[in-house]
Amino acid sequence: MIELQTPAQIEEMRPAGRFVAEVLTALAEAADVGVNLLELDALAHRMIKDRGAESCYIDYHPSFGASPFGKVLCTSVNDAVLHGLPHDYKLRDGDLLSVDFACSVDGWVSDSALSVVVGTPRQEDLDLIATTTRALEAGIAAAQPGNKVGDISHAIGNVAREAGLKVNLQFGGHSVGRTMHGDLHISNDGRPGRGFKLQPGLVIAIEPWFMHTTDEIYTDPDGWTLRSADGSRGAHMEHTVAITPDGPLVLTDRSM
């Protein structure tokens, strides 16, 4: 069932969005050459505990996961493009790191992701992050009341096509509320004017993710981490967005 929140409930969701934004900002600042992925997970774990929040990931066990996730972050490095399971790996100069984080504060969930380059960047990685960011911004701009889910998907896909990128349609955005993954799926490409009508009170996670030269993925032996089929790197950007009568409200805005 796709749920709509009242204006009062959307206000109640703001603290979760702010906290998720704070954690991702702290993680982006902490990510450096020599930092272990397990250290990043431990930092997020401490912040969750200090806030009295609840992880959405530790016990998460969907059909595509080999076992309960067991960590509080997804840390995807280089050709690991989604659902990266934190493990004993020290970040190296030039690594492309994507971090995905969702948690519940006072019973409300927010979900967000970002990609950063650790140390000395490759221009193609910076370009990929910039394209993924533009796609997220385009998707948010299309999240207007009265539009359709397909308008968001089409806006994201247009940015990818203009950059010469292929789009994987297996994983994308979703509705958000009391749980992390609601019933509404938001593909990263699609036809405008199609799908569920966007209404005030709908809260969604919009999350474009692209790879340099492929749209094919496979699952790592850890049972969770998704890697590009050809070894190319990936970038992932995500925000939790509420549809309001005045337009989209980004609950996980990190610029505030």
Side-chain angles (χ1 to χ4, degrees):
M1 183 174 68
I2 299 172
E3 297 182 350
L4 300 179
Q5 315 302 338
T6 67
Q9 288 173 323
I10 289 176
E11 286 301 308
E12 292 174 1
M13 297 183 77
R14 284 182 183 269
R18 285 195 297 268
F19 178 66
V20 167
E22 290 169 5
V23 172
L24 281 177
T25 297
L27 292 167
E29 293 173 351
D32 202 354
V33 176
V35 172
N36 198 301
L37 296 181
L38 295 177
E39 294 179 71
L40 296 178
D41 188 73
L43 171 58
H45 211 145
R46 289 194 300 271
M47 293 182 73
I48 290 171
K49 183 178 179 180
D50 291 345
R51 180 62 176 78
E54 183 177 347
S55 171
C56 293
Y57 287 174
I58 284 194
D59 296 324
Y60 185 53
H61 190 188
S63 59
F64 57 81
S67 60
F69 191 73
K71 303 294 182 184
V72 300
L73 293 178
C74 292
T75 52
S76 304
V77 181
N78 297 332
D79 68 318
V81 294
L82 279 184
H83 305 163
L85 185 64
H87 59 285
D88 185 13
Y89 175 84
K90 291 183 178 180
L91 292 167
R92 302 169 184 172
D93 187 47
D95 276 347
L96 174 49
L97 169 68
S98 297
V99 180
D100 194 352
F101 177 67
C103 77
S104 174
V105 175
D106 300 326
W108 294 106
V109 171
S110 269
D111 189 2
S112 188
L114 57 75
S115 293
V116 296
V117 177
V118 177
T120 308
R122 303 180 184 181
Q123 187 59 50
E124 59 264 33
D125 290 341
L126 296 178
D127 292 344
L128 184 64
I129 292 172
T131 298
T132 312
T133 301
R134 288 198 306 275
L136 176 58
E137 292 169 347
I140 293 170
Q144 302 289 340
N147 278 358
K148 301 290 186 69
V149 165
D151 295 312
I152 298 175
S153 300
H154 183 70
I156 292 170
N158 263 349
V159 173
R161 283 187 292 275
E162 289 170 359
L165 299 175
K166 298 178 180 179
V167 181
N168 179 287
L169 302 181
Q170 292 171 260
F171 296 94
H174 48 89
S175 50
V176 178
R178 294 289 188 181
T179 60
M180 178 172 59
H181 285 152
D183 290 339
L184 186 63
H185 175 73
I186 304 168
S187 174
N188 285 323
D189 197 9
R191 298 177 65 180
R194 299 295 183 93
F196 188 80
K197 185 176 181 179
L198 304 179
Q199 305 168 52
L202 180 66
V203 182
I204 55 178
I206 301 174
E207 54 176 316
W209 60 281
F210 304 135
M211 296 170 283
H212 277 301
T213 56
T214 186
D215 59 355
E216 298 294 327
I217 54 177
Y218 70 93
T219 304
D220 191 84
D222 67 15
W224 273 100
T225 303
L226 299 178
R227 297 186 181 274
S228 66
D230 64 358
S232 62
R233 297 181 175 205
H236 180 196
M237 305 295 286
E238 177 182 17
H239 274 311
T240 294
V241 179
I243 310 301
T244 79
D246 299 322
L249 172 64
V250 180
L251 297 172
T252 49
D253 185 359
R254 294 185 295 274
S255 66
M256 299 175 65

